[in-house]
Amino acid sequence: MTLEFIKSINDVRGTILFYSFGKLTIHFVETKKGFSRGGHYHKFKSDHILLQGKIEFREFNLSTNMEQIRIIFAPCTISVEPNVAHLLTALDDSLFLECFDAEYSATDYSPYRNIVNEKIKQR
Protein backbone atom coordinates (compact mmCIF):
# COMPACT_ATOMS: atom_id res chain seq x y z
CA MET A 1 0.00 0.00 0.00
CA THR A 2 1.06 3.55 -0.63
CA LEU A 3 -0.11 6.86 0.75
CA GLU A 4 -2.12 8.45 -2.08
CA PHE A 5 -2.75 12.18 -2.29
CA ILE A 6 -6.37 12.93 -3.26
CA LYS A 7 -6.79 16.72 -3.07
CA SER A 8 -6.33 19.81 -0.93
CA ILE A 9 -8.64 22.63 0.04
CA ASN A 10 -7.78 25.95 1.61
CA ASP A 11 -9.88 28.64 3.26
CA VAL A 12 -9.47 31.29 5.93
CA ARG A 13 -9.26 28.54 8.60
CA GLY A 14 -6.26 26.82 7.00
CA THR A 15 -5.56 23.90 4.68
CA ILE A 16 -6.83 20.32 4.60
CA LEU A 17 -4.88 17.65 2.71
CA PHE A 18 -6.86 14.55 1.78
CA TYR A 19 -5.06 11.18 1.51
CA SER A 20 -5.93 7.52 1.31
CA PHE A 21 -3.89 4.57 2.54
CA GLY A 22 -5.62 1.42 1.39
CA LYS A 23 -9.09 1.55 2.95
CA LEU A 24 -7.97 4.17 5.48
CA THR A 25 -8.77 7.84 4.83
CA ILE A 26 -6.45 10.42 6.39
CA HIS A 27 -7.09 14.17 6.52
CA PHE A 28 -4.21 16.46 7.54
CA VAL A 29 -6.05 19.46 8.99
CA GLU A 30 -4.46 22.83 9.71
CA THR A 31 -6.58 25.17 11.81
CA LYS A 32 -5.55 28.72 12.56
CA LYS A 33 -6.03 30.11 16.04
CA GLY A 34 -9.61 31.18 16.74
CA PHE A 35 -11.25 29.04 14.05
CA SER A 36 -13.33 25.88 14.39
CA ARG A 37 -13.60 22.64 12.44
CA GLY A 38 -16.34 20.04 12.43
CA GLY A 39 -19.78 20.93 13.70
CA HIS A 40 -21.17 17.63 12.46
CA TYR A 41 -21.41 13.93 13.19
CA HIS A 42 -20.73 10.74 11.27
CA LYS A 43 -22.22 7.26 11.17
CA PHE A 44 -18.71 5.84 11.65
CA LYS A 45 -16.00 6.09 14.29
CA SER A 46 -13.15 8.51 13.60
CA ASP A 47 -9.89 9.28 15.34
CA HIS A 48 -8.35 12.74 15.62
CA ILE A 49 -4.65 12.89 16.40
CA LEU A 50 -3.64 16.34 17.59
CA LEU A 51 -0.02 16.81 16.48
CA GLN A 52 0.49 20.48 17.28
CA GLY A 53 -1.32 23.15 19.26
CA LYS A 54 -4.15 23.35 21.75
CA ILE A 55 -7.86 22.94 21.03
CA GLU A 56 -11.19 23.13 22.77
CA PHE A 57 -12.91 19.85 21.92
CA ARG A 58 -16.69 19.68 22.23
CA GLU A 59 -18.74 16.58 21.70
CA PHE A 60 -22.48 16.10 21.96
CA ASN A 61 -23.85 12.58 22.18
CA LEU A 62 -27.09 12.54 20.21
CA SER A 63 -28.31 9.40 22.03
CA THR A 64 -27.83 10.67 25.59
CA ASN A 65 -28.10 14.45 24.99
CA MET A 66 -24.89 14.84 27.01
CA GLU A 67 -22.19 17.35 26.11
CA GLN A 68 -18.55 17.16 27.10
CA ILE A 69 -16.07 20.03 26.66
CA ARG A 70 -12.32 19.51 27.11
CA ILE A 71 -9.14 21.46 26.49
CA ILE A 72 -6.73 19.20 24.60
CA PHE A 73 -2.96 19.71 24.23
CA ALA A 74 -0.76 18.06 21.60
CA PRO A 75 0.17 15.31 21.33
CA CYS A 76 -3.14 13.60 21.98
CA THR A 77 -5.57 11.18 20.32
CA ILE A 78 -9.33 11.70 20.45
CA SER A 79 -11.72 8.93 19.36
CA VAL A 80 -15.15 10.09 18.24
CA GLU A 81 -17.86 7.46 18.32
CA PRO A 82 -20.61 7.24 15.66
CA ASN A 83 -23.46 9.75 16.00
CA VAL A 84 -21.51 12.04 18.32
CA ALA A 85 -21.38 15.65 17.10
CA HIS A 86 -17.94 17.20 17.48
CA LEU A 87 -16.38 20.63 17.25
CA LEU A 88 -12.67 21.43 17.40
CA THR A 89 -11.77 25.07 18.09
CA ALA A 90 -8.10 26.05 17.78
CA LEU A 91 -6.86 27.90 20.86
CA ASP A 92 -3.42 27.98 19.19
CA ASP A 93 -2.50 27.35 15.56
CA SER A 94 -3.11 23.60 15.38
CA LEU A 95 -2.53 20.56 13.22
CA PHE A 96 -4.39 17.28 13.53
CA LEU A 97 -4.97 14.12 11.56
CA GLU A 98 -8.45 12.69 11.12
CA CYS A 99 -8.48 8.97 10.32
CA PHE A 100 -11.34 6.62 9.48
CA ASP A 101 -12.06 3.53 7.39
CA ALA A 102 -15.51 4.27 5.96
CA GLU A 103 -16.91 6.27 3.08
CA TYR A 104 -17.02 9.89 4.21
CA SER A 105 -20.36 11.43 5.03
CA ALA A 106 -21.28 14.02 7.64
CA THR A 107 -24.50 15.46 8.99
CA ASP A 108 -24.37 19.02 10.32
CA TYR A 109 -25.25 19.54 13.97
CA SER A 110 -26.62 23.10 13.84
CA PRO A 111 -25.56 24.34 17.31
CA TYR A 112 -21.94 23.45 16.51
CA ARG A 113 -21.98 24.19 12.77
CA ASN A 114 -23.30 27.68 13.49
CA ILE A 115 -20.16 28.30 15.59
CA VAL A 116 -17.97 27.27 12.63
CA ASN A 117 -19.83 29.60 10.27
CA GLU A 118 -19.91 32.56 12.70
CA LYS A 119 -16.15 32.40 13.24
CA ILE A 120 -15.61 32.47 9.48
CA LYS A 121 -17.93 35.48 9.07
CA GLN A 122 -16.13 37.41 11.83
CA ARG A 123 -12.86 37.32 9.88
Side-chain angles (χ1 to χ4, degrees), residues 10-50:
N10 188 34
D11 64 22
V12 68
R13 298 173 291 170
T15 301
I16 303 177
L17 304 174
F18 297 81
Y19 285 86
S20 66
F21 185 71
K23 293 185 179 185
L24 186 64
T25 298
I26 304 169
H27 298 161
F28 291 78
V29 183
E30 171 194 40
T31 310
K32 296 177 184 173
K33 181 179 178 176
F35 288 101
S36 296
R37 297 279 190 183
H40 55 245
Y41 58 93
H42 310 284
K43 293 182 179 182
F44 54 84
K45 180 182 177 189
S46 63
D47 291 309
H48 297 76
I49 304 164
L50 184 61

Side-chain angles (χ1 to χ4, degrees), residues 67-117:
E67 182 178 46
Q68 184 176 19
I69 301 171
R70 298 179 278 166
I71 304 300
I72 307 292
F73 298 86
C76 182
T77 301
I78 306 160
S79 292
V80 180
E81 294 299 320
N83 299 311
V84 174
H86 48 285
L87 179 74
L88 296 89
T89 300
L91 301 177
D92 292 330
D93 289 347
S94 299
L95 177 64
F96 69 87
L97 302 178
E98 178 184 32
C99 306
F100 53 90
D101 62 0
E103 185 175 333
Y104 186 83
S105 66
T107 303
D108 284 350
Y109 175 66
S110 294
Y112 285 177
R113 194 63 201 179
N114 291 342
I115 293 170
V116 173
N117 294 333

Side-chain angles (χ1 to χ4, degrees), residues 57-70 82-86 109 112:
F57 179 71
R58 292 181 182 211
E59 59 184 353
F60 183 82
N61 187 312
L62 299 169
S63 299
T64 64
N65 289 323
M66 301 273 304
E67 182 178 46
Q68 184 176 19
I69 301 171
R70 298 179 278 166
N83 299 311
V84 174
H86 48 285
Y109 175 66
Y112 285 177

